[in-house]
Amino acid sequence: MAQKLFVCQLRAKQAPRMELGVFAFNHAAHRLYTKCGYQEIGRIEHFTYWDGQFWSDIRMEKRLDEKPFHAK
């Protein structure tokens, strides 16, 4: 609910997109963001060190300036 309100407010201000970053080891978050309409737009390799290795930062965006697709 809170995210829908936030998206509505951003669209009212004519913001074209929202962007976020998720670490490559966080598979559950990546799946969740994908289900919420975010798409991967790039990666920053070796961005963070965690649990004994370097991990990428996956950059994702959700376009707000496109009309939503409604399946029939």
Side-chain angles (χ1 to χ4, degrees):
M1 182 69 168
Q3 182 175 348
K4 286 184 181 182
L5 178 61
F6 184 58
V7 168
C8 287
Q9 290 175 343
L10 288 173
R11 283 191 172 129
K13 294 180 183 288
Q14 298 180 337
R17 58 192 276 282
M18 295 183 349
E19 183 178 335
L20 59 81
V22 60
F23 295 128
F25 60 79
N26 196 344
H27 304 290
H30 188 267
R31 281 191 304 273
L32 175 66
Y33 295 137
T34 301
K35 283 183 180 181
C36 289
Y38 288 84
Q39 296 181 338
E40 186 173 331
I41 57 171
R43 288 177 180 243
I44 303 170
E45 300 299 328
H46 310 291
F47 184 78
T48 194
Y49 187 82
W50 181 76
D51 199 24
Q53 70 184 67
F54 283 96
W55 295 88
S56 299
D57 177 47
I58 303 169
R59 304 307 303 170
M60 302 182 81
E61 77 171 2
K62 181 175 184 173
R63 299 299 307 185
L64 302 176
D65 55 356
E66 299 172 356
K67 291 182 181 178
F69 173 77
H70 296 288
K72 292 182 179 183

mmCIF file of all heavy atoms in Angstrom, residues 5-6 8 10-11 15-16 18 20 27 31 43-47 52-53 56 62-63 65-66:
data_model
loop_
_atom_site.group_PDB
_atom_site.id
_atom_site.type_symbol
_atom_site.label_atom_id
_atom_site.label_comp_id
_atom_site.label_asym_id
_atom_site.label_seq_id
_atom_site.Cartn_x
_atom_site.Cartn_y
_atom_site.Cartn_z
ATOM 1 N N LEU A 5 1.143 4.327 -2.921
ATOM 2 C CA LEU A 5 0.977 5.743 -2.621
ATOM 3 C C LEU A 5 2.203 6.530 -3.079
ATOM 4 O O LEU A 5 2.083 7.584 -3.693
ATOM 5 C CB LEU A 5 0.741 5.951 -1.126
ATOM 6 C CG LEU A 5 0.598 7.392 -0.658
ATOM 7 C CD1 LEU A 5 -0.595 8.073 -1.335
ATOM 8 C CD2 LEU A 5 0.452 7.446 0.853
ATOM 9 N N PHE A 6 3.383 5.995 -2.793
ATOM 10 C CA PHE A 6 4.634 6.646 -3.193
ATOM 11 C C PHE A 6 4.709 6.777 -4.714
ATOM 12 O O PHE A 6 5.054 7.836 -5.249
ATOM 13 C CB PHE A 6 5.813 5.839 -2.653
ATOM 14 C CG PHE A 6 7.151 6.454 -2.921
ATOM 15 C CD1 PHE A 6 7.458 7.731 -2.485
ATOM 16 C CD2 PHE A 6 8.116 5.744 -3.615
ATOM 17 C CE1 PHE A 6 8.693 8.298 -2.726
ATOM 18 C CE2 PHE A 6 9.356 6.292 -3.859
ATOM 19 C CZ PHE A 6 9.647 7.576 -3.420
ATOM 20 N N CYS A 8 2.218 6.842 -6.837
ATOM 21 C CA CYS A 8 1.219 7.850 -7.248
ATOM 22 C C CYS A 8 1.748 9.262 -7.046
ATOM 23 O O CYS A 8 1.561 10.134 -7.902
ATOM 24 C CB CYS A 8 -0.079 7.656 -6.477
ATOM 25 S SG CYS A 8 -1.031 6.221 -6.991
ATOM 26 N N LEU A 10 4.932 10.185 -6.989
ATOM 27 C CA LEU A 10 6.001 10.422 -7.967
ATOM 28 C C LEU A 10 5.432 10.699 -9.356
ATOM 29 O O LEU A 10 5.916 11.576 -10.066
ATOM 30 C CB LEU A 10 6.966 9.238 -8.013
ATOM 31 C CG LEU A 10 7.880 9.080 -6.805
ATOM 32 C CD1 LEU A 10 8.665 7.785 -6.907
ATOM 33 C CD2 LEU A 10 8.818 10.266 -6.685
ATOM 34 N N ARG A 11 4.402 9.943 -9.737
ATOM 35 C CA ARG A 11 3.770 10.179 -11.047
ATOM 36 C C ARG A 11 3.132 11.560 -11.095
ATOM 37 O O ARG A 11 3.184 12.230 -12.122
ATOM 38 C CB ARG A 11 2.744 9.092 -11.346
ATOM 39 C CG ARG A 11 3.375 7.799 -11.793
ATOM 40 C CD ARG A 11 2.347 6.825 -12.337
ATOM 41 N NE ARG A 11 3.019 5.682 -12.929
ATOM 42 C CZ ARG A 11 2.739 4.425 -12.640
ATOM 43 N NH1 ARG A 11 1.790 4.137 -11.768
ATOM 44 N NH2 ARG A 11 3.405 3.445 -13.231
ATOM 45 N N ALA A 15 7.742 12.305 -12.251
ATOM 46 C CA ALA A 15 9.030 11.610 -12.184
ATOM 47 C C ALA A 15 8.983 10.455 -13.182
ATOM 48 O O ALA A 15 8.024 9.687 -13.177
ATOM 49 C CB ALA A 15 9.280 11.079 -10.778
ATOM 50 N N PRO A 16 9.967 10.337 -14.061
ATOM 51 C CA PRO A 16 9.902 9.301 -15.094
ATOM 52 C C PRO A 16 10.255 7.901 -14.618
ATOM 53 O O PRO A 16 9.895 6.924 -15.251
ATOM 54 C CB PRO A 16 10.926 9.780 -16.125
ATOM 55 C CG PRO A 16 11.915 10.566 -15.339
ATOM 56 C CD PRO A 16 11.118 11.215 -14.232
ATOM 57 N N MET A 18 11.915 5.235 -11.044
ATOM 58 C CA MET A 18 12.483 5.001 -9.713
ATOM 59 C C MET A 18 13.649 4.040 -9.909
ATOM 60 O O MET A 18 13.576 3.128 -10.726
ATOM 61 C CB MET A 18 11.471 4.349 -8.770
ATOM 62 C CG MET A 18 10.305 5.212 -8.462
ATOM 63 S SD MET A 18 9.067 4.559 -7.280
ATOM 64 C CE MET A 18 9.420 2.894 -7.005
ATOM 65 N N LEU A 20 16.821 1.637 -7.867
ATOM 66 C CA LEU A 20 17.330 1.076 -6.624
ATOM 67 C C LEU A 20 18.503 0.161 -6.935
ATOM 68 O O LEU A 20 18.748 -0.190 -8.084
ATOM 69 C CB LEU A 20 16.234 0.316 -5.859
ATOM 70 C CG LEU A 20 15.546 -0.865 -6.546
ATOM 71 C CD1 LEU A 20 16.379 -2.138 -6.471
ATOM 72 C CD2 LEU A 20 14.196 -1.095 -5.931
ATOM 73 N N HIS A 27 19.099 -12.750 -3.342
ATOM 74 C CA HIS A 27 18.222 -13.298 -4.389
ATOM 75 C C HIS A 27 16.746 -13.038 -4.113
ATOM 76 O O HIS A 27 15.979 -12.754 -5.035
ATOM 77 C CB HIS A 27 18.469 -14.797 -4.555
ATOM 78 C CG HIS A 27 19.887 -15.133 -4.856
ATOM 79 N ND1 HIS A 27 20.488 -14.825 -6.058
ATOM 80 C CD2 HIS A 27 20.847 -15.727 -4.112
ATOM 81 C CE1 HIS A 27 21.744 -15.220 -6.047
ATOM 82 N NE2 HIS A 27 21.996 -15.769 -4.869
ATOM 83 N N ARG A 31 14.172 -11.041 -6.649
ATOM 84 C CA ARG A 31 12.903 -11.611 -7.138
ATOM 85 C C ARG A 31 11.731 -10.697 -6.799
ATOM 86 O O ARG A 31 10.846 -10.478 -7.622
ATOM 87 C CB ARG A 31 12.677 -13.001 -6.550
ATOM 88 C CG ARG A 31 13.452 -14.097 -7.226
ATOM 89 C CD ARG A 31 12.994 -15.489 -6.790
ATOM 90 N NE ARG A 31 13.043 -15.686 -5.350
ATOM 91 C CZ ARG A 31 14.114 -16.090 -4.670
ATOM 92 N NH1 ARG A 31 15.239 -16.328 -5.298
ATOM 93 N NH2 ARG A 31 14.050 -16.246 -3.366
ATOM 94 N N ARG A 43 25.005 -3.301 -13.739
ATOM 95 C CA ARG A 43 25.658 -3.872 -12.562
ATOM 96 C C ARG A 43 26.952 -3.118 -12.297
ATOM 97 O O ARG A 43 27.645 -2.727 -13.231
ATOM 98 C CB ARG A 43 25.993 -5.351 -12.767
ATOM 99 C CG ARG A 43 24.778 -6.248 -12.754
ATOM 100 C CD ARG A 43 25.161 -7.696 -13.034
ATOM 101 N NE ARG A 43 23.965 -8.528 -13.007
ATOM 102 C CZ ARG A 43 23.759 -9.502 -12.146
ATOM 103 N NH1 ARG A 43 24.689 -9.813 -11.262
ATOM 104 N NH2 ARG A 43 22.638 -10.195 -12.174
ATOM 105 N N ILE A 44 27.251 -2.966 -11.042
ATOM 106 C CA ILE A 44 28.544 -2.431 -10.628
ATOM 107 C C ILE A 44 29.282 -3.621 -10.018
ATOM 108 O O ILE A 44 28.924 -4.095 -8.923
ATOM 109 C CB ILE A 44 28.397 -1.287 -9.612
ATOM 110 C CG1 ILE A 44 27.534 -0.163 -10.186
ATOM 111 C CG2 ILE A 44 29.778 -0.771 -9.206
ATOM 112 C CD1 ILE A 44 27.143 0.895 -9.180
ATOM 113 N N GLU A 45 30.249 -4.137 -10.741
ATOM 114 C CA GLU A 45 30.964 -5.341 -10.309
ATOM 115 C C GLU A 45 31.829 -5.043 -9.085
ATOM 116 O O GLU A 45 32.335 -3.931 -8.922
ATOM 117 C CB GLU A 45 31.826 -5.870 -11.452
ATOM 118 C CG GLU A 45 31.031 -6.248 -12.707
ATOM 119 C CD GLU A 45 30.012 -7.352 -12.490
ATOM 120 O OE1 GLU A 45 30.252 -8.254 -11.648
ATOM 121 O OE2 GLU A 45 28.957 -7.318 -13.151
ATOM 122 N N HIS A 46 31.989 -6.053 -8.234
ATOM 123 C CA HIS A 46 32.862 -5.978 -7.055
ATOM 124 C C HIS A 46 32.544 -4.744 -6.200
ATOM 125 O O HIS A 46 33.427 -4.062 -5.722
ATOM 126 C CB HIS A 46 34.333 -5.972 -7.471
ATOM 127 C CG HIS A 46 34.691 -7.064 -8.419
ATOM 128 N ND1 HIS A 46 34.703 -8.388 -8.043
ATOM 129 C CD2 HIS A 46 35.014 -7.038 -9.724
ATOM 130 C CE1 HIS A 46 35.032 -9.131 -9.082
ATOM 131 N NE2 HIS A 46 35.214 -8.334 -10.122
ATOM 132 N N PHE A 47 31.262 -4.485 -6.000
ATOM 133 C CA PHE A 47 30.817 -3.272 -5.315
ATOM 134 C C PHE A 47 30.974 -3.356 -3.798
ATOM 135 O O PHE A 47 31.306 -2.378 -3.149
ATOM 136 C CB PHE A 47 29.359 -2.989 -5.681
ATOM 137 C CG PHE A 47 28.823 -1.712 -5.122
ATOM 138 C CD1 PHE A 47 29.142 -0.504 -5.711
ATOM 139 C CD2 PHE A 47 27.992 -1.706 -4.013
ATOM 140 C CE1 PHE A 47 28.648 0.685 -5.215
ATOM 141 C CE2 PHE A 47 27.490 -0.530 -3.497
ATOM 142 C CZ PHE A 47 27.822 0.669 -4.100
ATOM 143 N N GLY A 52 33.144 -13.034 2.866
ATOM 144 C CA GLY A 52 34.371 -13.561 2.279
ATOM 145 C C GLY A 52 34.568 -13.359 0.795
ATOM 146 O O GLY A 52 35.502 -13.917 0.219
ATOM 147 N N GLN A 53 33.693 -12.590 0.164
ATOM 148 C CA GLN A 53 33.881 -12.343 -1.269
ATOM 149 C C GLN A 53 33.270 -11.014 -1.694
ATOM 150 O O GLN A 53 32.474 -10.424 -0.973
ATOM 151 C CB GLN A 53 33.314 -13.476 -2.116
ATOM 152 C CG GLN A 53 31.799 -13.576 -2.143
ATOM 153 C CD GLN A 53 31.330 -14.784 -2.936
ATOM 154 O OE1 GLN A 53 31.544 -15.907 -2.533
ATOM 155 N NE2 GLN A 53 30.700 -14.538 -4.056
ATOM 156 N N SER A 56 28.450 -7.951 -6.673
ATOM 157 C CA SER A 56 27.978 -6.866 -7.532
ATOM 158 C C SER A 56 26.794 -6.150 -6.904
ATOM 159 O O SER A 56 26.050 -6.725 -6.103
ATOM 160 C CB SER A 56 27.538 -7.419 -8.893
ATOM 161 O OG SER A 56 28.598 -8.037 -9.538
ATOM 162 N N LYS A 62 12.265 1.137 -12.230
ATOM 163 C CA LYS A 62 10.854 0.959 -12.554
ATOM 164 C C LYS A 62 10.424 2.219 -13.280
ATOM 165 O O LYS A 62 10.520 3.321 -12.737
ATOM 166 C CB LYS A 62 10.023 0.750 -11.289
ATOM 167 C CG LYS A 62 8.554 0.529 -11.555
ATOM 168 C CD LYS A 62 7.830 0.198 -10.270
ATOM 169 C CE LYS A 62 6.377 -0.113 -10.527
ATOM 170 N NZ LYS A 62 5.714 -0.586 -9.313
ATOM 171 N N ARG A 63 9.992 2.066 -14.510
ATOM 172 C CA ARG A 63 9.541 3.220 -15.296
ATOM 173 C C ARG A 63 8.164 3.650 -14.797
ATOM 174 O O ARG A 63 7.280 2.830 -14.574
ATOM 175 C CB ARG A 63 9.467 2.869 -16.781
ATOM 176 C CG ARG A 63 10.786 2.460 -17.412
ATOM 177 C CD ARG A 63 11.835 3.519 -17.374
ATOM 178 N NE ARG A 63 11.386 4.781 -17.933
ATOM 179 C CZ ARG A 63 12.174 5.835 -18.101
ATOM 180 N NH1 ARG A 63 13.453 5.778 -17.775
ATOM 181 N NH2 ARG A 63 11.704 6.953 -18.591
ATOM 182 N N ASP A 65 6.731 6.502 -16.391
ATOM 183 C CA ASP A 65 6.168 7.304 -17.482
ATOM 184 C C ASP A 65 5.541 6.450 -18.576
ATOM 185 O O ASP A 65 5.141 6.957 -19.600
ATOM 186 C CB ASP A 65 7.227 8.223 -18.076
ATOM 187 C CG ASP A 65 8.470 7.472 -18.551
ATOM 188 O OD1 ASP A 65 8.561 6.248 -18.359
ATOM 189 O OD2 ASP A 65 9.371 8.129 -19.091
ATOM 190 N N GLU A 66 5.442 5.150 -18.329
ATOM 191 C CA GLU A 66 4.799 4.258 -19.294
ATOM 192 C C GLU A 66 3.449 3.835 -18.752
ATOM 193 O O GLU A 66 3.281 3.673 -17.552
ATOM 194 C CB GLU A 66 5.683 3.035 -19.549
ATOM 195 C CG GLU A 66 7.031 3.384 -20.121
ATOM 196 C CD GLU A 66 7.973 2.197 -20.180
ATOM 197 O OE1 GLU A 66 7.599 1.103 -19.703
ATOM 198 O OE2 GLU A 66 9.069 2.358 -20.697
#
